Amino acid sequence: MMQTQIIHLEDAYGLLDEAVAAAMRNSKPVYISVCCNLAGEVHPSFGGDPVPFALTPKVTNERSLEAAVKYASEFLNKAVKPVMVGGVKMRWPGKAQDAFLKLSEAGQYPVAMQPSAKGFFPESHNRFLGTYWGQVSSPYCSEVVESCDAYLFAGAIHNDYSSVGYSLLLKTEKMIDVGLFRVTIGGRHTFGCVNMRDFLAALAKAVKPNSTAWDNFQRMYVPSAQVPPSEPGSPLRTNIIFKHIQEMLSSETAVLVETGDSWFNGQKLKLPDGCLYEFQMQFGSIGWSVGATLGYAQALKGKKRVIASIGDGSFQVTAQDVSTMIRYRLNPIIFLINNGGYTIEVEIHDGPYNNIQGWDYSGLVQCFDNHQGNVYSAKAKTEDQLLEAIAKANENTDKLCFIECFVHRDDCSKELLEWGSRVASANSRPPNPQ
């Protein structure tokens, strides 16, 4: 994130231009700090009508593009089992989702998505593998991706979280890594000044169809078992919660999940066409989702209803943003997972600091509402109570609906157990000798 400080009035015009340009060019926020005694001052550079702001776009070098496409198409066309994997940078600032889709169809390649790119590729597509996330991938996905002899990664982020503690079984010599403005093929040939969208679109015209990897996937694939109903009166479980969230999804909904076990349960959701999905993985920022739900619900107001899954520990960091949601009459449905602490941190490195003070969460949001009648809240300790609360939330389409779900402290997905142990191992490795 760029930070700009305006401490001299005569510098303001240029500094503001630089900040706005950085935000538009990189699709990232900028922080502009203005001295309080300057904010109301007038300067001649701001006189007259505003001048339309324009950026000089980064342009693809055609010769570099031609060479990159030549090497990449030869690389893919000679492969026995090529596959494609999409990453988060494919959307912003890459703006390459359509080109990625067209390439997959031209090559008839199966497609997996990194976890942070869930929803960027239609999950109803007839060659969609699921989430590629190493040992915690969708069923059979990692086996297909890692057994291929050529994989194209577009807009990918390769860090400890996305690689499950650097445990992926990928080989650089088999990879085409497509960045925002750079393409690297087989770890040897690198081509700069090549826009991701331009490269994928040009490559789609040069590849030969090869569905071998998808055919292999279909032969081995067995659908996952469905979560059975709970016994009457039995304690609520996390997989029951997400089973019923799945039933709520449509083209008129958008899903947002918090850092924690919701990461992994959210990846298992099957998104209908038009259903949006957001989660924050790059920094693992606990508490991100409450403010993000506020912004997301405001942006989608009148278009889609936001369904958010947030852990109790995360909620305590930024709970006050719910008050602003109520103020602006936003109508998200928030599932608060109350398990008494930071479950994801327990699986990485347990300790007493992962315990939190319990709150009356559903009561708190009623306090924020202050008897104005703009909130529906409920507590759910069984599946029947959850179903009743969801039915009420679906009826109250004009209100913020808050469902506090009580689950056991150790109730988490098997993927979190696997991921947590691998990331913990990577975090505790000895430093490299200097």
Side-chain angles (χ1 to χ4, degrees):
M1 184 176 74
M2 178 181 178
Q3 179 172 332
T4 295
Q5 290 184 311
I6 299 176
I7 56 178
H8 300 294
L9 194 59
E10 58 271 18
D11 297 335
Y13 197 94
L15 291 173
L16 287 171
D17 274 1
E18 290 179 11
V20 172
M24 295 176 65
R25 185 177 295 115
N26 301 309
S27 297
K28 291 184 177 181
V30 297
Y31 185 86
I32 302 172
S33 174
V34 182
C35 291
C36 59
N37 61 338
L38 296 181
E41 294 297 312
V42 178
H43 191 268
S45 60
F46 292 96
D49 295 332
V51 177
F53 194 82
L55 288 176
T56 302
K58 296 178 84 172
V59 180
T60 292
N61 181 301
E62 290 300 325
R63 292 187 63 182
S64 187
L65 172 62
E66 182 180 340
V69 170
K70 177 180 180 294
Y71 275 91
S73 59
E74 290 175 353
F75 189 89
L76 291 170
N77 288 338
K78 73 179 182 181
V80 177
K81 294 186 295 182
V83 68
M84 294 172 61
V85 181
V88 67
K89 292 183 180 179
M90 195 172 67
R91 180 176 65 169
W92 296 110
K95 303 178 183 177
Q97 289 169 263
D98 289 343
F100 184 83
L101 174 60
K102 289 178 180 177
L103 173 59
S104 73
E105 292 177 341
Q108 297 182 10
Y109 305 144
V111 173
M113 301 301 286
Q114 286 195 308
S116 54
K118 182 177 174 65
F120 295 2
F121 187 87
E123 298 192 359
S124 60
H125 194 277
N126 59 2
R127 281 186 294 276
F128 179 63
L129 293 172
T131 299
Y132 174 61
W133 202 356
Q135 292 298 309
V136 294
S137 298
S138 300
Y140 309 99
C141 182
S142 67
E143 292 83 356
V144 169
V145 172
E146 293 175 353
S147 66
C148 286
D149 57 342
Y151 16 80
L152 183 148
F153 279 74
I157 291 179
H158 306 285
N159 61 14
D160 56 341
Y161 280 9
S162 64
S163 66
V164 196
Y166 304 107
S167 64
L168 303 183
L169 301 179
L170 299 174
K171 295 183 178 179
T172 304
E173 60 268 25
K174 296 181 180 181
M175 182 184 297
I176 298 176
D177 195 5
V178 186
L180 295 175
F181 253 83
R182 184 174 297 275
V183 177
T184 301
I185 302 170
R188 299 175 59 193
H189 304 289
T190 297
F191 303 90
C193 301
V194 177
N195 176 280
M196 180 190 297
R197 183 174 62 249
D198 294 342
F199 172 77
L200 296 175
L203 185 60
K205 300 174 183 178
V207 296
K208 299 175 182 178
N210 185 343
S211 63
T212 303
W214 176 252
D215 296 338
N216 288 347
F217 174 78
Q218 286 189 303
R219 280 189 284 268
M220 72 175 76
Y221 179 73
V222 177
S224 299
Q226 297 299 309
V227 178
S230 300
E231 293 292 329
S234 63
L236 186 60
R237 303 192 312 271
T238 303
N239 56 13
I240 290 290
I241 298 170
F242 278 86
K243 169 188 173 181
H244 293 297
I245 290 177
Q246 176 70 70
E247 295 167 352
M248 299 171 69
L249 302 187
S250 72
S251 61
E252 298 180 348
T253 57
V255 180
L256 188 147
V257 298
E258 173 59 281
T259 300
D261 196 31
S262 293
W263 272 5
F264 306 94
N265 289 303
Q267 291 296 323
K268 299 175 188 177
L269 295 174
K270 181 76 171 179
L271 301 181
D273 289 345
C275 181
L276 304 180
Y277 187 91
E278 297 291 338
F279 89 129
Q280 192 284 118
M281 186 178 178
Q282 178 66 7
F283 302 105
S285 301
I286 291 175
W288 161 86
S289 65
V290 186
T293 299
L294 165 61
Y296 208 25
Q298 181 66 45
L300 295 174
K301 191 173 184 179
K303 302 173 185 176
K304 296 179 186 289
R305 193 173 194 186
V306 175
I307 299 172
S309 173
I310 304 173
D312 50 356
S314 300
F315 185 79
Q316 288 196 7
V317 179
T318 47
Q320 66 275 14
D321 281 332
V322 172
S323 179
T324 307
M325 296 180 209
I326 297 169
R327 176 189 173 193
Y328 286 103
R329 302 294 187 268
L330 303 180
N331 68 338
I333 301 174
I334 298 176
F335 290 86
L336 188 287
I337 312 299
N338 186 344
N339 56 13
Y342 298 104
T343 299
I344 190 169
E345 297 297 336
V346 169
E347 303 308 330
I348 296 174
H349 193 282
D350 199 7
Y353 38 77
N354 291 325
N355 301 321
I356 60 174
Q357 172 65 33
W359 291 2
D360 179 359
Y361 297 96
S362 56
L364 177 64
V365 297
Q366 291 293 345
C367 290
F368 288 150
D369 182 55
N370 196 23
H371 307 291
Q372 295 181 27
N374 296 314
V375 168
Y376 165 75
S377 67
K379 299 177 187 287
K381 297 184 178 181
T382 66
E383 185 174 10
D384 288 341
Q385 292 175 354
L386 176 67
L387 288 171
E388 181 181 350
I390 290 174
K392 290 284 188 181
N394 288 332
E395 292 173 8
N396 289 279
T397 57
D398 60 338
K399 296 182 180 180
L400 183 148
C401 297
F402 189 94
I403 304 174
E404 183 179 356
C405 303
F406 292 82
V407 298
H408 192 275
R409 166 82 172 192
D410 296 324
D411 180 358
C412 70
S413 63
K414 70 179 183 64
E415 289 81 8
L416 174 54
L417 296 177
E418 178 72 27
W419 182 89
S421 63
R422 288 177 179 269
V423 171
S425 177
N427 289 350
S428 61
R429 68 191 186 281
N432 292 328
Q434 302 297 316

